Amino acid sequence: MEIKGILVTALAPFENHIANGGEKLLGNASSIKRRPDGRVYVSGQMQRHVLFSAIDRINTTDTAKGETFVSNGDGISNLIEKDLRADMGGFMHPSKGDYSGRRTAPLSVTPAVAVGVSEIGRDLLVRIRFDQSEDAKDQALATKEFSEYDLMHMNFFLDISALSISKAFIYEKSFNLGTKYFKHASDDERKRRARLYLDATKSMNDYASQARNAVSGEPQKVLIVFDTVLSRKASRYLVAGEQEQKNILAELEARGAKYFIGDDTTEKSVYKAYEDALAFLNANALYDPAGEDAKIVTFKDAFGGD
């Protein structure tokens, strides 16, 4: 099979959490982010942060990482050949003023949203004054919102056609007459990066307030899809009704996609689903629009610039 997209949709239980804080809407009370319908959520920005944090941890211990690294979110480079965040997460460098200053992210996420209406509580925080010197901080009270329990629905998608590959447009007299692809990593490295992405989706942990409200986003239920087209339709599988679930799986099967389902509340565990999915990834090819014989070039060599 030639894989063109890898979708992961998951449900993860969050308990007594403020995984993503919002504005201080209640004076000195830190509020949790929630939708108008009363369901708390974790923003797409936070989901990306947690995912790339997981990718960084896994890549750091990978013996095959070579010179690759994950840049910090506030200083993303354009070194697609080395910087995993630049490759999978994209970048925007407006100061460049030309095509070389931007890249659309092959990796996309959705916000993580509670399946049901959330029950919000408040935690009292106290700063007690022990230091009696004049410049010591005054004693203070503050409250912090938290959600009692949420089953969070989250989705991830990796567009294989853009993984370690850049697309350029050929113009002549202001007319777009074609496209050209530049390859920035070997086939083995592209597959390693796809494995990092897949591994990271089951290692979501670096949410907000981890020192006092440690929460795990590791899946309780998961659907992993290796697709023959670019489609995210299966992202609603875990929150769909029984008939819609059957139709989604039938559609995947009809176009030759491969999927794996894991549920830790049954004998078909999440661990087994990921192990089978990783084995399938290792045994199959990734779609390469640049062609197998394409020369590997750096982003700078392809587009110029610094």
Side-chain angles (χ1 to χ4, degrees):
M1 177 183 171
E2 190 175 60
I3 302 167
K4 292 185 178 178
I6 305 175
L7 180 140
V8 178
T9 180
L11 295 177
F14 286 23
E15 191 171 4
N16 298 321
H17 73 96
I18 181 167
N20 197 183
E23 300 294 331
K24 291 187 176 181
L25 302 178
L26 305 172
N28 66 347
S30 292
S31 59
I32 192 170
K33 287 190 174 182
R34 57 183 176 271
R35 305 189 332 176
D37 62 2
R39 293 191 285 172
V40 304
Y41 71 94
V42 177
S43 69
Q45 182 181 27
M46 175 61 82
Q47 286 291 99
R48 274 175 53 103
H49 162 74
V50 177
L51 185 65
F52 276 108
S53 179
I55 290 174
D56 186 27
R57 292 175 189 272
I58 298 168
N59 186 64
T60 298
T61 59
D62 189 350
T63 56
K65 70 174 183 177
E67 297 182 353
T68 62
F69 65 97
V70 177
S71 61
N72 197 27
D74 63 356
I76 307 170
S77 74
N78 62 5
L79 303 175
I80 296 174
E81 59 276 9
K82 296 180 181 180
D83 183 354
L84 303 184
R85 191 189 294 268
D87 181 15
M88 291 188 276
F91 52 81
M92 173 66 77
H93 299 155
S95 60
K96 293 286 184 182
D98 58 18
Y99 183 79
S100 67
R102 65 183 183 273
R103 172 174 172 78
T104 301
L107 193 161
S108 52
V109 307
T110 65
V113 182
V115 172
V117 176
S118 306
E119 295 291 336
I120 306 300
R122 290 191 192 174
D123 188 17
L124 177 64
L125 305 179
V126 181
R127 184 176 68 208
I128 301 176
R129 178 174 177 173
F130 291 104
D131 187 351
Q132 298 302 316
S133 59
E134 293 184 1
D135 59 348
K137 292 182 178 180
D138 292 334
Q139 185 162 305
L141 300 177
T143 58
K144 191 169 188 175
E145 287 189 338
F146 68 93
S147 185
E148 292 182 10
Y149 177 88
D150 297 292
L151 191 60
M152 304 292 280
H153 178 223
M154 58 187 73
N155 304 290
F156 312 89
F157 183 81
L158 182 63
D159 178 6
I160 297 299
S161 69
L163 179 62
S164 306
I165 290 174
S166 295
K167 181 179 181 180
F169 299 93
I170 301 171
Y171 284 89
E172 184 175 326
K173 295 181 180 179
S174 300
F175 293 103
N176 178 204
L177 302 180
T179 56
K180 182 178 181 180
Y181 295 93
F182 295 101
K183 193 171 182 177
H184 305 297
S186 67
D187 291 338
D188 287 343
E189 174 60 16
R190 291 182 74 224
K191 185 168 285 190
R192 189 188 77 89
R193 294 182 185 190
R195 285 197 301 269
L196 288 176
Y197 152 75
L198 193 54
D199 264 333
T201 62
K202 65 180 175 68
S203 306
M204 301 284 288
N205 285 299
D206 288 340
Y207 289 97
S209 303
Q210 286 295 289
R212 292 188 296 264
N213 297 91
V215 64
S216 171
E218 297 167 69
Q220 182 186 76
K221 297 181 181 181
V222 70
L223 169 68
I224 304 167
V225 179
F226 296 93
D227 219 332
T228 55
V229 298
L230 195 159
S231 173
R232 302 189 184 99
K233 183 176 180 177
S235 63
R236 56 180 181 262
Y237 174 82
L238 293 175
V239 292
E242 183 179 354
Q243 185 58 56
E244 186 177 0
Q245 287 184 334
K246 290 179 180 178
N247 292 340
I248 288 172
L249 296 184
E251 183 177 332
L252 292 175
E253 293 167 0
R255 65 171 178 257
K258 183 70 174 178
Y259 61 85
F260 301 89
I261 300 174
D263 183 348
D264 280 343
T265 65
T266 71
E267 293 181 355
K268 298 179 179 179
S269 70
V270 167
Y271 170 79
K272 184 64 165 57
Y274 271 99
E275 287 297 295
D276 291 345
L278 287 167
F280 180 84
L281 174 61
N282 289 333
N284 288 270
L286 301 182
Y287 172 60
D288 183 357
E292 294 182 0
D293 299 327
K295 181 182 177 182
I296 298 173
V297 298
T298 65
F299 187 81
K300 180 179 180 181
D301 288 341
F303 297 103
D306 297 331

